[in-house]
Protein backbone atom coordinates (compact mmCIF):
# COMPACT_ATOMS: atom_id res chain seq x y z
CA UNK A 1 0.00 0.00 0.00
CA UNK A 2 1.36 3.39 -0.98
CA UNK A 3 0.70 6.51 1.07
CA UNK A 4 0.01 9.89 -0.46
CA UNK A 5 2.89 12.34 -0.19
CA UNK A 6 2.48 15.90 0.99
CA UNK A 7 3.89 18.70 -1.16
CA UNK A 8 5.60 20.66 1.58
CA UNK A 9 6.09 23.73 -0.61
CA UNK A 10 2.34 24.21 -1.01
CA UNK A 11 1.34 23.24 2.52
CA UNK A 12 3.87 25.14 4.61
CA UNK A 13 6.38 26.94 2.45
CA UNK A 14 7.31 29.29 5.30
CA UNK A 15 8.19 26.43 7.60
CA UNK A 16 10.26 24.80 4.89
CA UNK A 17 12.16 28.04 4.31
CA UNK A 18 12.85 28.22 8.05
CA UNK A 19 14.30 24.71 7.92
CA UNK A 20 16.59 25.76 5.07
CA UNK A 21 17.75 28.81 7.05
CA UNK A 22 18.40 26.66 10.10
CA UNK A 23 20.45 24.28 7.96
CA UNK A 24 22.58 27.14 6.65
CA UNK A 25 23.11 28.53 10.16
CA UNK A 26 24.03 25.18 11.71
CA UNK A 27 26.56 24.37 8.99
CA UNK A 28 28.31 27.71 9.61
CA UNK A 29 28.83 27.03 13.33
CA UNK A 30 31.75 25.27 14.97
CA UNK A 31 29.53 22.55 16.39
CA UNK A 32 30.59 18.92 15.90
CA UNK A 33 29.11 17.31 12.79
CA UNK A 34 27.24 14.73 14.86
CA UNK A 35 25.47 17.50 16.82
CA UNK A 36 24.65 19.39 13.60
CA UNK A 37 23.09 16.24 12.23
CA UNK A 38 20.97 15.75 15.36
CA UNK A 39 19.76 19.36 15.20
CA UNK A 40 18.74 18.93 11.55
CA UNK A 41 16.96 15.64 12.25
CA UNK A 42 15.04 17.11 15.19
CA UNK A 43 14.01 20.20 13.22
CA UNK A 44 12.86 17.98 10.37
CA UNK A 45 10.77 15.86 12.73
CA UNK A 46 9.15 18.97 14.21
CA UNK A 47 8.34 20.23 10.71
CA UNK A 48 6.79 16.91 9.68
CA UNK A 49 4.74 16.85 12.88
CA UNK A 50 3.34 20.34 12.21
CA UNK A 51 2.47 19.47 8.62
CA UNK A 52 0.59 16.30 9.52
CA UNK A 53 -1.47 17.86 12.32
Amino acid sequence: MQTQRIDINTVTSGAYQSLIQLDKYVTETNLPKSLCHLIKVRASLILVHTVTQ
Side-chain angles (χ1 to χ4, degrees):
M1 179 161 52
Q2 193 173 21
T3 59
Q4 184 178 3
R5 293 184 175 246
I6 298 171
D7 183 6
I8 199 159
N9 288 319
T10 58
V11 176
T12 57
S13 61
Y16 188 63
Q17 291 302 319
S18 297
L19 188 61
I20 292 171
Q21 290 174 348
L22 175 68
D23 181 57
K24 288 179 184 179
Y25 177 77
V26 168
T27 54
E28 293 174 355
T29 64
N30 292 328
L31 296 172
K33 283 189 175 186
S34 58
L35 184 56
C36 290
H37 180 70
L38 288 174
I39 291 169
K40 292 175 187 180
V41 168
R42 183 63 180 144
S44 178
L45 290 171
I46 291 169
L47 178 63
V48 168
H49 180 70
T50 59
V51 170
T52 57
Q53 289 295 321

